[in-house]
């Protein structure tokens, strides 16, 4: 929580985060966060896909190009994917994504991967809180259409 | 024999039993004496221990029941008698005069509005007024008005008649008479529930004072649909109370008024109500006066701890205090604080009486007229080994009518009763049922016309998110043709509203902004379908779990976020296209994992329903943990129970038992699983349509605790249980409760340990009245009817000493020292035998959780699909759960759960076909380059490369093109993400649809369409 103290230049500024969640685990984790009333900053917009394996690198780039300050790729813990091994494929794609994000000159905090089960509501909330704090420190994404405001 | 069942009682128990039976191919009559189904659960604000909104989880079930083609609802009807025998019963039902024609009433509510007569509203526990013609609550099913004949001016005095005048469809009929009908059914399920205890008979609680209210009244005060819209106020002056006291055990554990049972649920509901009250007003000061806190269920102890630590709720250990009203009419409580050992008086603004659950009068009357035996408490009598069978074969019981219990236990028992009734009538399955009929799908106009419905969810959303504001915003969004708010989008009247709006505005896409699609999507999809819209033209925007509940303190930002979430859903939905499911055959047999009592019961119930079962047991013989027991709670011998059960399993032609075996591999999905069983070093394939996990748990070994393992005088309760099979010589026996439970490492309560300890203490004392037996406990959790064991133990002279977790007992050379927290002094007991009561811990569940991809909770027990209403289901379709694998439980509870799991499995096995996923992936052959990436990526072998003849201008050639088998595709979308040519569309989650959502995320900024992609991005898989 202490990380929420952001540098002055981003005072009052709230990052915009796109979180891709798979229906069976991380989306359920976000639901559990709600059921447990685990409070979190209102910075994330969740895009539900059936499996993290559905997340096309192009969706991630698209999110950055549309002004996301951070993109979260989430799914079931390895071994728990509802479709056998979708998240194994996600892991591979993520490696590739990490490289491209670096090439684009984005800080590594702007793209994050996390496995969150349907019962891990608190973990989900903490994740959103932590990422928000990190991005607040970094300020808006340099890829923001129209440049940094 | 008849293929139909009468379910008596329309609370959550009756609803669940009826749904299971109707889904398994039986015509079901659901008979409810009140105007609407829903029972007590419909009056609850939240449910413990997750604080789920009660109406939100109940309402979809109400709607489903009301809509089910095989459930005939007889509301406002009483059962007079049941005669006949198993297979052929006659049930006499009196349909009470409603004075409203059910077939004509549309539930518009005009009559209620115009009715001049006000009466006390029982739905709000008498704290508000309703009209003499009324619909009991917003989500009521059926949604028709009822005239309260004893209050209606026309029916009592012949004056007024307004309702008849204003009723458009001419539904009001003052001439209506009670009507007696007779139902021919094969079986009966009794789900008649309980009666809340009336505290006015106990004068010491001063229930005559307006600020002394029952827990049910308090529940209504907390509810958004309650008399004060969720604001807790005093009945005396309407002011906000600052200090509230809960008095536990009002009408429970009280031999003086002949209510000896524990009501099982009050400790937890008082905790829940306190937490919610604190959430509404964090300055509230709340104290709960209790004898023991019985937090015995899954996650209850954790809930109780949170109440103290996070919410600052105070718990005071005392006998139920006396309520004092002074000359100024102010309230105070006089009580003896057990821990402090002194008499105290404290002032409070409001006192809540945690009233117990009493057997209902109608249960007694019906049992009397139909010859069904009752137990000593007035509940319908059953046995430990057959917890849903009444004394009359063919008549089953479930829920609180059998004894006080919470919602998940009730739901499990309801499914269990359904399994028994279905097994009895399995020869007649499917003979009396109808198929569900939907109107034809309407032809879609080319441009999207989206309807947006934004839910207040009582105050769950509305108190944080400014809903009217979001509605206005929604109206400005592209393609939105209609937007409105709703109090509860999931209620039955809202379904009518949505359907009307679809017709009136010619909508062709629907967005509901409410809660999670994981629970509510099917409900709204059904509504769309009933309105002639393909169910895939629907989208849920989650503004509760993902918004109002997690941004409770940031109302404005939450409102902005809700707008954003709605905007994304609207943008995505504009691209939705109709999709269709396919029908595929299924394998009508099951696999049950675990050959303990739960597994054997589940296998037998499935087999008796007419389906083949493979029962997989890891040991050399069946029996599980019951083999270790030497006496049951009712005095019966476990060996007898086991012998009978094993014999039944072995004799059943539908069951194959594989011992020393393990399921090592599973592929496939609901209806069509393929597995491999490893037994005696050999591997054999097994095909099945559904699976039940009943792998049990194991005893915790308290190595190193209290000298266990070093001193032979220190044993576990499980070891004592075995020793008591013979006589023991020890003269002084000291039992220590909560060893390895309710601590940092293992927060949960072992549920059965107190009952086991008390049972064994009684056995020792009965065998040798000179023996000295001490039980050192923290809270004595002999819940429900097990309270009688505790009472019996005290009568026999067994000594119970309460200790504090901070000052645990110590064991040294057979001497047990303990600080008695009630007498506030140290005691030393020289003991011949020290018995440690330890909880059950999870078994090797990790293997199975990987096999079926089913989740575990933090204690490594299996995690059910929903803690309240789906206690034996997994989120993964076709896999079910029962027994101690879910959490520790008593024998009868495990048996109920096992039958429940069987019932749930039979709702699948009884189907003629399985519907496949509608949102499957498709290949655009023109773009496909035949590389085969999709073939390698897919775990289900859905895509395959085919030789296709391609004609391009003058050339004709053969090329490899991928095709996806829609019956095998599960719709995960991995292939679409992997296809290098962008040739695959994951329907309903296409890149276009996702791209629109992302674009809407940052509306106002230039959009970059995903279609511009070049296909040069390589994805390595
Ligand atoms: S379903 Fe969650 S990652 Fe595949």
């Amino acid at each position: 929580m202490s990380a929420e103290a952001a540098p002055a230049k981003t005072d009052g500024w709230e990052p915009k985060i796109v979180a891709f969640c798979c229906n069976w685990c991380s989306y359920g984790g976000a639901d559990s966060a709600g059921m447990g009333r685990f409070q979190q900053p209102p910075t994330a917009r969740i895009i539900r896909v059936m499996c993290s394996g559905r997340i096309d690198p192009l969706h991630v780039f698209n999110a950055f190009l549309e002004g996301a300050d951070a993109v979260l790729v989430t799914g079931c813990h390895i071994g728990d994917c509802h479709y056998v091994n979708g998240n194994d494929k996600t892991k591979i794609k993520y490696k590739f994504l990490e490289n491209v994000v670096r090439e684009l000159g984005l800080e590594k905090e702007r793209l994050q991967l996390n496995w969150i089960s349907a019962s891990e509501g608190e973990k989900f909330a903490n994740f959103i809180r932590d990422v928000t704090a990190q991005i607040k420190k970094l300020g808006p994404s340099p890829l923001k259409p129209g440049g940094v405001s | 024999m008849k293929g139909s069942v009468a379910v008596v009682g329309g609370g959550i128990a009756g609803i669940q039993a009826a749904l299971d039976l109707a889904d398994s191919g039986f015509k079901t009559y659901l008979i409810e004496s009140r105007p609407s189904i829903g029972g007590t659960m419909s009056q609850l604000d939240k449910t413990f221990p997750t604080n789920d909104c009660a109406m939100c989880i109940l309402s979809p079930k109400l709607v489903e029941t009301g809509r089910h083609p095989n459930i005939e609802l007889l509301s406002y009807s009483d059962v007079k008698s049941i005669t006949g025998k198993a297979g052929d019963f006659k049930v006499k039902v009196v349909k009470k005069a409603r004075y409203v024609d059910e077939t004509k009433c549309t539930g518009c509510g005009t009559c209620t509005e115009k009715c001049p007569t006000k009466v006390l509203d029982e739905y709000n526990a008498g704290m508000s007024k309703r009209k003499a013609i009324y619909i009991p609550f917003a989500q009521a099913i059926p949604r028709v008005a009822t005239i309260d004949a004893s209050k209606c001016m026309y029916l009592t005095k012949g004056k007024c008649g307004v309702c008849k005048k204003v009723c458009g469809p001419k539904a009001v009929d003052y001439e209506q008479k009670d009507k007696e009908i007779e139902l021919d059914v094969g079986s009966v399920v009794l789900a008649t529930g309980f009666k809340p205890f009336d505290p006015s008979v106990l004068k010491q609680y001063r229930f005559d004072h307006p600020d002394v209210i029952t827990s049910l009244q308090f529940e209504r005060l907390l509810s958004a649909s309650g008399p004060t819209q969720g604001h807790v106020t005093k009945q005396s002056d309407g002011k906000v109370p600052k200090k509230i006291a809960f008095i536990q055990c009002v009408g429970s554990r009280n031999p003086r008024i002949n209510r000896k049972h524990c009501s099982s649920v009050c400790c937890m509901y008082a905790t829940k109500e306190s937490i919610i009250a604190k959430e509404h007003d964090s300055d509230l000061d709340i104290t709960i006066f209790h004898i023991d806190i019985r937090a015995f269920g899954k996650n209850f102890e954790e809930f109780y701890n949170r109440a103290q630590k996070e919410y600052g709720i105070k718990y005071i250990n005392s006998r139920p205090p006396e309520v004092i009203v002074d000359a100024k009419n102010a309230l105070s409580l006089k009580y003896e604080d057990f821990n402090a050992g002194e008499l105290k008086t404290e002032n409070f603004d409001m006192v809540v009486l945690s009233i117990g659950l009493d057997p209902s009068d109608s249960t007694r009357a019906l049992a009397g007229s139909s010859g069904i035996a009752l137990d000593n408490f007035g509940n319908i009598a059953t046995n430990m080994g057959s917890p849903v069978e009444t004394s009359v074969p063919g008549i089953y019981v479930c829920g609180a009518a059998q004894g006080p219990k919470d919602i998940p236990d009730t739901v499990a028992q309801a499914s269990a009763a359904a399994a028994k009734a279905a097994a009895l009538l399995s020869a007649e399955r499917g003979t009396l049922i109808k198929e569900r009929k939907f109107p034809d799908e309407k032809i879609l106009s080319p441009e999207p016309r989206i309807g947006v419905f934004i839910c207040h969810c009582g105050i769950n959303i509305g108190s944080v998110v400014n809903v009217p504001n979001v509605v206005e915003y929604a109206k400005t969004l592209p393609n939105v043709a209609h937007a409105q708010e709703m109090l509860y989008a999931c209620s039955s009247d809202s379904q009518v509203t949505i359907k009307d709006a679809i017709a009136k505005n010619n909508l062709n896409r629907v967005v509901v902004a409410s809660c999670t699609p994981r629970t509510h999507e099917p409900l709204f999809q059904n509504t769309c379908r009933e309105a002639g819209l393909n169910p895939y033209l629907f989208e849920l925007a989650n503004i509760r779990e993902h918004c109002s509940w997690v941004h409770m303190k940031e109302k404005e930002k939450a409102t902005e976020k809700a707008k954003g979430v709605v905007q994304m859903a609207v943008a995505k939905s504009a691209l939705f296209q109709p999709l269709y499911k396919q029908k595929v055959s299924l394998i009508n047999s099951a696999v049950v994992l675990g050959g303990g009592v739960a597994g054997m019961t589940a296998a037998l119930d499935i087999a008796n329903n007419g389906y083949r079962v493979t029962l997989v047991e890891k040991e050399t013989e069946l029996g599980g943990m019951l083999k270790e027991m030497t006496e049951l709670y009712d005095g019966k011998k476990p060996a007898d129970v086991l012998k009978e059960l094993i014999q039944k399993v072995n004799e059943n032609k539908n069951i194959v038992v594989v011992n020393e075996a393990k399921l090592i591999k599973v592929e496939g999905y609901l209806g069509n699983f393929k597995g491999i069983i490893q037994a005696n070093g050999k591997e054999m394939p097994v095909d099945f349509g559904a699976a039940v996990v009943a792998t049990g748990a194991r005893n915790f070994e308290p190595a190193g605790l209290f000298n266990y393992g070093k001193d032979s005088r220190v044993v576990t309760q499980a070891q004592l249980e075995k020793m008591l099979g013979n006589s023991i010589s020890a003269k002084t026996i000291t039992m220590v409760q909560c060893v390895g439970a309710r601590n940092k490492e293992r927060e949960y309560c072992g549920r059965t340990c107190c009952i086991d300890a008390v049972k064994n203490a009684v056995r020792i004392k009965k065998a040798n009245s000179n023996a000295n037996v001490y039980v050192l406990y923290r809270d004595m959790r002999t819940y429900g009817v097990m309270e009688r064991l505790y009472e019996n133990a005290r009568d026999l002279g067994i000594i119970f000493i309460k200790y504090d977790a901070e000052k645990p007992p110590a064991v040294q050379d057979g001497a047990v020292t303990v600080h008695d927290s009630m007498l506030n002094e140290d005691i030393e007991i020289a003991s011949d035998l020290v018995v440690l009561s330890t909880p059950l811990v999870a078994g090797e569940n990790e293997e199975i959780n990987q096999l079926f991809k089913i989740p575990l909770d933090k204690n490594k027990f299996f995690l059910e699909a929903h803690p309240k209403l789906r206690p034996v289901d997994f989120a993964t379709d076709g896999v079910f759960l029962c027994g101690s694998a879910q959490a520790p439980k008593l024998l009868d509870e495990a048996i109920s759960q096992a039958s429940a799991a069987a019932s749930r499995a039979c709702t699948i096995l009884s189907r003629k076909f399985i519907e496949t996923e509608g949102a499957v992936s498709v290949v655009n052959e023109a773009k496909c380059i035949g590389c085969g990436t999709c073939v390698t990526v897919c775990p289900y072998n859905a895509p395959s490369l085919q030789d296709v003849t391609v004609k391009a201008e003058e050339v004709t050639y053969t090329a490899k093109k991928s095709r996806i088998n829609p019956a095998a595709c599960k719709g995960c979308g991995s292939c679409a993400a992997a296809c290098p040519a962008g040739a695959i569309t994951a329907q309903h989650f296409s890149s276009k649809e996702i791209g629109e959502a992302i674009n809407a995320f940052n509306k106002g900024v230039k959009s970059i369409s995903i279609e511009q992609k070049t296909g040069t991005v390589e994805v390595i898989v």
Side-chain angles (χ1 to χ4, degrees), chain A residues 22 24 50-52 76 81-83 87:
Chain A
C22 81
W24 303 95
M50 292 314 280
C51 174
S52 72
C76 310
C81 171
H82 190 72
Y83 306 98
N87 46 7

Side-chain angles (χ1 to χ4, degrees), chain B residues 318-531:
Chain B
S318 79
R319 249 183 288 281
E322 189 186 333
V323 181
I324 313 282
V325 180
D326 72 7
K328 287 201 197 110
N329 222 16
L331 294 169
S332 61
L333 294 191
K334 198 162 95 192
Y335 66 96
E336 185 193 342
D337 185 333
F338 283 160
N339 289 336
E342 50 186 283
L343 269 176
K344 288 184 181 170
T345 311
E346 195 176 339
N347 296 332
F348 286 97
D349 302 329
M350 188 184 237
V351 173
V352 182
L353 306 177
S354 290
I355 49 170
L357 276 50
D358 260 6
S360 80
D361 302 329
S362 58
T363 307
R364 269 180 229 255
L366 185 58
S369 68
S370 310
I372 301 161
L374 297 175
D375 68 10
N376 294 337
F377 301 98
N379 304 314
I380 290 175
T382 57
N383 284 321
M384 200 80 209
S386 48
V388 299
E389 286 162 52
T390 70
S391 61
V392 179
I395 302 185
Y396 306 97
V397 62
C398 58
Q402 186 256 353
K405 57 180 64 68
D406 65 4
I407 293 169
D409 289 355
T410 294
V411 170
Q413 244 193 356
S415 285
K420 298 292 180 193
L424 172 71
L425 307 175
S426 72
E428 296 295 316
R429 187 191 305 273
T431 52
L432 297 172
I433 57 164
K434 293 191 287 230
E435 294 290 321
R436 203 178 283 220
K437 284 259 181 312
F438 287 115
D440 288 344
E441 280 182 25
K442 57 181 196 183
I443 298 159
L444 300 186
S445 53
E447 78 288 356
R449 293 184 58 80
I450 306 171
V452 184
F453 301 86
I454 302 179
C455 181
H456 282 265
C457 194
I459 57 169
N460 283 299
I461 294 170
S463 67
V464 177
V465 170
N466 183 334
V467 172
N469 208 317
V470 181
V471 171
E472 285 317 306
Y473 184 71
K475 285 183 184 159
T476 67
L477 297 171
N479 299 317
V480 171
H482 173 82
Q484 72 169 97
E485 57 191 299
M486 308 189 116
L487 183 59
Y488 286 103
C490 58
S491 68
S492 62
D493 59 322
S494 292
Q495 307 320 300
V496 176
T497 310
I498 294 172
K499 281 191 268 185
D500 289 350
I502 292 173
K504 201 163 136 233
N505 304 293
N506 193 24
L507 302 177
N508 52 25
R509 308 285 188 286
V510 173
V511 172
V512 172
S514 59
C515 49
T516 172
R518 282 166 49 95
T519 54
H520 280 61
E521 192 175 55
L523 168 77
F524 296 117
Q525 285 187 322
N526 229 319
T527 302
C528 288
R529 189 61 199 84
E530 286 182 353

Side-chain angles (χ1 to χ4, degrees), chain B residues 98-304:
Chain B
R98 251 194 158 107
Y99 303 100
V100 171
D101 186 336
E102 281 180 41
T103 58
K104 289 188 189 154
C105 177
T106 62
C108 71
T110 308
C111 54
T112 302
E113 208 179 290
K114 295 280 147 51
C115 172
T117 313
K118 287 189 176 167
V119 288
L120 284 184
D121 185 358
E122 50 285 88
Y123 179 68
N124 276 331
M127 291 184 298
S128 65
K129 294 270 173 72
R130 62 157 168 83
K131 298 294 184 61
I133 184 163
Y134 67 111
I135 294 174
F137 52 95
Q139 300 81 355
I141 297 281
R143 198 178 155 70
V144 289
T146 303
I147 297 183
D148 191 331
S150 64
K151 302 284 158 47
C152 167
M153 289 215 289
Y154 185 87
L155 292 173
T156 52
K157 300 193 189 106
K159 292 184 203 138
C160 187
V162 164
C163 52
K164 185 164 186 164
K165 270 180 235 137
V166 298
C167 178
K170 308 245 166 300
V172 174
D173 173 8
Y174 298 128
E175 306 305 313
Q176 214 178 53
K177 296 264 145 28
D178 287 0
K179 210 164 86 195
E180 200 170 291
I181 53 171
E182 196 173 77
L183 307 173
D184 289 319
V185 294
S187 175
V188 179
V189 173
L190 301 178
T192 44
F194 66 92
K195 179 176 84 178
F197 176 75
D198 174 6
S200 55
V201 299
L202 293 170
K203 301 286 177 239
Q204 69 267 35
Y205 296 130
R206 297 301 307 266
F207 189 51
D208 54 308
H209 190 287
D211 295 329
V212 178
I213 61 171
T214 68
S215 44
L216 197 57
Q217 289 178 310
F218 194 69
E219 190 87 35
R220 294 309 305 150
L221 286 182
L222 292 170
S223 171
S225 62
T228 54
Q229 289 77 45
H231 302 292
V232 176
T233 51
K234 292 195 283 172
Q235 295 296 291
S236 58
D237 56 9
K239 289 203 184 112
V240 176
K242 291 197 179 64
K243 276 185 80 184
I244 301 179
F246 279 78
I247 302 181
Q248 297 304 106
C249 298
V250 175
S252 311
R253 303 180 70 184
N254 187 344
R256 258 174 293 162
I257 51 164
N258 198 26
R259 279 182 178 74
K260 298 182 180 176
H261 63 274
C262 153
S263 293
S264 285
V265 294
C266 323
C267 286
M268 284 300 105
Y269 75 55
T271 300
K272 169 196 75 180
E273 290 182 3
S274 303
I275 290 180
I276 300 164
K278 286 283 269 190
E279 273 178 0
H280 289 197
D281 175 4
S282 57
D283 294 334
L284 256 178
D285 181 322
I286 302 181
T287 310
I288 297 179
F289 292 89
H290 64 94
I291 310 178
D292 299 284
I293 280 294
R294 296 192 162 165
F296 56 84
K298 188 166 181 170
N299 282 323
F300 290 7
E301 181 75 15
E302 291 87 334
F303 191 58
Y304 167 45

Side-chain angles (χ1 to χ4, degrees), chain B residues 2-5 15-28 64 68-71 414-436 586 588 605-606 608-611 880 899-912:
Chain B
K2 308 269 172 358
S4 58
V5 182
I15 289 171
Q16 183 63 46
L19 284 172
D20 268 17
L21 284 162
D23 282 341
S24 319
F26 298 95
K27 159 95 196 187
T28 307
E64 202 185 333
H68 206 293
N70 298 321
I71 297 178
S415 285
K420 298 292 180 193
L424 172 71
L425 307 175
S426 72
E428 296 295 316
R429 187 191 305 273
T431 52
L432 297 172
I433 57 164
K434 293 191 287 230
E435 294 290 321
R436 203 178 283 220
L586 76 154
N588 301 95
D605 280 331
I606 296 172
N608 289 337
N609 266 280
Y611 309 107
F880 304 94
S899 296
S903 174
R904 306 290 304 140
C906 289
T907 62
I908 290 168
L909 300 176
S910 61
R911 294 184 200 168
K912 293 199 187 74

Side-chain angles (χ1 to χ4, degrees), chain B residues 531-546:
Chain B
L533 280 187
N534 183 282
Y536 291 92
L537 300 172
F538 170 77
E539 176 79 349
L540 249 181
N542 187 339
I543 58 167
R544 193 182 70 173
E545 282 86 346
H546 295 184

Side-chain angles (χ1 to χ4, degrees), chain B residues 776-813:
Chain B
L776 316 184
Y777 71 100
R778 287 170 57 188
D779 288 282
M780 190 41 65
R781 293 183 170 172
T782 44
Y783 59 91
V785 295
M786 290 298 169
E787 180 69 10
R788 68 161 182 240
L789 275 178
Y790 183 29
E791 199 198 343
N792 191 2
R794 279 174 304 176
D795 289 348
L796 286 170
I798 292 158
I799 296 168
F800 289 86
I801 297 172
K802 191 172 167 97
Y803 75 88
D804 205 73
E806 259 83 75
K807 294 184 189 159
V811 179
Q812 197 54 251
D813 283 337

